[in-house]
Amino acid sequence: MQPDKATKPVVVCEPDALKGARPVRRGGAGREASSLPSHKEFVARRLDVKRCAEEGATLGGSEPVEKHERLMAETQGRGAGSEVVWSATGEMRNPGHVHPEIWLHLRAQTVLPLTCQRCLGAVSVKLAVDRPFRFVADEETAAAQDDDAQEDVLALSRSFDLLELIEDELLMEMPLAPRHDVCPVAVQLSAADPDFDDGSAPGEHPFALLGKLKIGKPTAK
Ligand SMILES: [Zn+2]
């Protein structure tokens, strides 16, 4: 095992960078690379997908949710401090073929503080994506093949915005109505609302409680 994570090479699919550095093929596809120099994000914003596939390269990183405006908006400002962690591995299938297939395997995850639709408090929701993409020559081909293919088909680009794809994919994982498994709000309500404090035992049936309120307060205000 390599003890020092910070010096572990993370292959960057940047054409100029690759001239000087030999990319390392890594068996553990999609392994997270959390410590990255700042220029990595710049590269992910304009990724040469084909070159990445040819080199079998993996790139990855983590950045604050604030860098993803649409994700950040979903948190209604609570997302500051959350991180998006991701990795992407290129793969060329049938490299000897006239038309080899260009693939990119994407993994991304984050935990977002969303608004619980039951109690309107903050609820932490984990979003995770683990998905392969196949890249074809152009938008037209992609549109023609996408419906029939099991995988997502995208148009090849020398300057592909990988971070935007990551944001798109995480947004699609967003629950329609995020909720706590058990809302903490029941406790808060009874403590905050004096009308609720009628001395009834906790756990009493709500209709029984309603009856007590009516009978118990005939002259209230
Ligand atoms: Zn709740």
Side-chain angles (χ1 to χ4, degrees), residues 4 28 136 141 159 197 206 211:
D4 190 356
V136 293
T141 314
S159 179
D197 188 13

Side-chain angles (χ1 to χ4, degrees), residues 116 119 180 183-184:
C116 171
C119 71
H180 292 107
C183 287

Side-chain angles (χ1 to χ4, degrees), residues 111-205:
V111 177
L112 293 186
L114 302 178
T115 302
C116 171
Q117 296 304 296
R118 198 155 39 202
C119 71
L120 301 182
V123 54
S124 292
V125 175
K126 181 180 176 182
L127 307 175
V129 172
D130 186 346
R131 194 161 296 152
F133 296 88
R134 183 163 56 86
F135 286 79
V136 293
D138 48 52
E139 292 286 354
E140 204 177 18
T141 314
Q145 294 189 10
D146 192 46
D147 284 347
D148 296 330
Q150 272 196 323
E151 69 278 9
D152 286 318
V153 184
L154 299 175
L156 194 58
S157 163
R158 284 190 178 280
S159 179
F160 184 74
D161 192 339
L162 182 58
L163 294 190
E164 191 177 13
L165 176 68
I166 289 167
E167 187 174 23
D168 287 344
E169 294 299 313
L170 288 173
L171 281 166
M172 278 197 278
E173 297 299 317
M174 196 81 73
L176 286 176
R179 278 184 199 145
H180 292 107
D181 289 338
V182 179
C183 287
V185 80
V187 180
Q188 289 170 11
L189 260 185
S190 55
D193 185 351
D195 286 347
F196 256 77
D197 188 13
D198 67 340
S200 66
E204 202 168 347
H205 194 280

